[in-house]
Amino acid sequence: MHEDVADATALAVNRVLDEFLATLAEDVSKRAFKQLLFGKQTLGDVDLGYKPETYTRFNLVEPLLTAIDLEYQLEPRSTDINRDRWPDIKLTSSAIPYIGEVKALNDIDSGREEIKEYLGIDGFIAPYGVLTDGAEWLVFGPPDDVGRTSNPVVRKRCSLADALKTVALVEGHWEEDLLSSEIRATGIDQIEAFPRMFHADELDAWALEKMPPTYRAEFLSEHESLQASLDGVWE
């Protein structure tokens, strides 16, 4: 990602966090706001009048994806398969498919088994899945020692937890100075790192690099149409 683009995208991420915090501050009490930002409770513990997962996806996750120019499809389906539950999102900007599951803020652990289950659905060609609660982002994929996605593990992670706290302070969403200089510095780093990690080309290059060699050869042979899309990304 070009440096100028990275800077502009980081500003867009900052703006999304600011807007989410402004919305959250209107919808919850001051005490709940602080508890949520410090991870002391989940969004599901708060009476919002909305499903907490939907609130997180609509107000934080989708705007973040848009800010970093990642296109996505909501609730992707696999044909000829009957299921009650499906992933929330499929990323469509990257040549290598990723599916995504969104949980309520501070409740990411509740989605670990779901994203693993979704990666095993017949008909999905996605070898990687993104699990997020808006603050924490985990990328699941095949482990180093096996070729399939039947036992996916966390391969990459990114946090915006300190970024949310830092933006809350800088943009005046709380009056108290509750943050150490270390948290503020980490928060700024997180805002800059997030768009670099999830840029479509970076996702493709990383996915192919980390994909177990045997599985990579099998995956690309099965999906030859991806080869043209990946020219220049993987040599």
Side-chain angles (χ1 to χ4, degrees):
M1 180 184 289
H2 191 278
E3 185 174 346
D4 289 344
V5 175
D7 289 344
T9 309
L11 287 173
V13 169
N14 189 98
R15 185 162 53 251
V16 168
L17 299 183
D18 180 22
E19 291 173 354
F20 169 71
L21 291 165
T23 300
L24 186 65
E26 291 181 356
D27 292 337
V28 303
S29 67
K30 289 184 178 180
R31 181 180 183 279
F33 184 84
K34 187 185 301 183
Q35 293 284 93
L36 286 165
L37 288 198
F38 281 91
K40 302 299 184 182
Q41 63 183 99
T42 74
L43 197 61
D45 298 326
V46 180
D47 184 11
L48 287 169
Y50 303 90
K51 289 183 64 175
E53 291 87 356
T54 303
Y55 186 97
T56 302
R57 176 174 60 79
F58 182 77
N59 290 297
L60 184 55
V61 173
E62 289 189 53
L64 281 171
L65 295 178
T66 300
I68 59 178
D69 294 324
L70 268 184
E71 297 177 0
Y72 57 91
Q73 172 190 349
L74 294 178
E75 298 184 352
R77 297 286 194 270
S78 180
T79 58
D80 301 324
I81 296 177
N82 293 319
R83 291 180 56 87
D84 294 328
R85 297 186 305 174
W86 294 90
D88 291 320
I89 287 172
K90 176 183 176 182
L91 300 184
T92 57
S93 295
S94 56
I96 300 292
Y98 288 71
I99 58 173
E101 179 66 12
V102 180
K103 307 310 292 183
L105 183 66
N106 296 334
D107 195 26
I108 192 169
D109 286 341
S110 68
R112 287 177 177 265
E113 293 307 313
E114 286 180 64
I115 195 69
K116 292 179 183 180
E117 176 187 339
Y118 294 148
L119 284 170
I121 295 176
D122 291 337
F124 276 164
I125 66 169
Y128 291 96
V130 179
L131 173 64
T132 183
D133 64 355
E136 303 295 337
W137 296 69
L138 304 178
V139 179
F140 284 75
D144 288 325
D145 56 348
V146 296
R148 304 305 302 180
T149 56
S150 57
N151 185 34
V153 297
V154 176
R155 300 299 306 275
K156 195 174 187 179
R157 64 182 68 226
C158 183
S159 178
L160 289 172
D162 284 350
L164 282 164
K165 299 184 190 78
T166 301
V167 174
L169 177 64
V170 172
E171 301 296 342
H173 295 295
W174 54 27
E175 298 175 358
E176 304 168 75
D177 186 349
L178 304 171
L179 305 183
S180 67
S181 58
E182 181 179 358
I183 289 177
R184 295 186 207 181
T186 301
I188 293 170
D189 289 343
Q190 289 175 351
I191 291 170
E192 294 174 349
F194 182 77
R196 289 187 171 93
M197 175 173 169
F198 284 99
H199 186 270
D201 287 347
E202 291 296 326
L203 285 174
D204 284 332
W206 175 86
L208 286 170
E209 177 186 352
K210 297 300 182 183
M211 198 179 287
T214 301
Y215 180 36
R216 183 171 64 231
E218 178 185 348
F219 180 82
L220 291 178
S221 68
E222 289 178 355
H223 308 291
E224 295 180 0
S225 62
L226 292 177
Q227 292 279 11
S229 298
L230 292 166
D231 285 347
V233 174
W234 179 257
E235 302 293 343

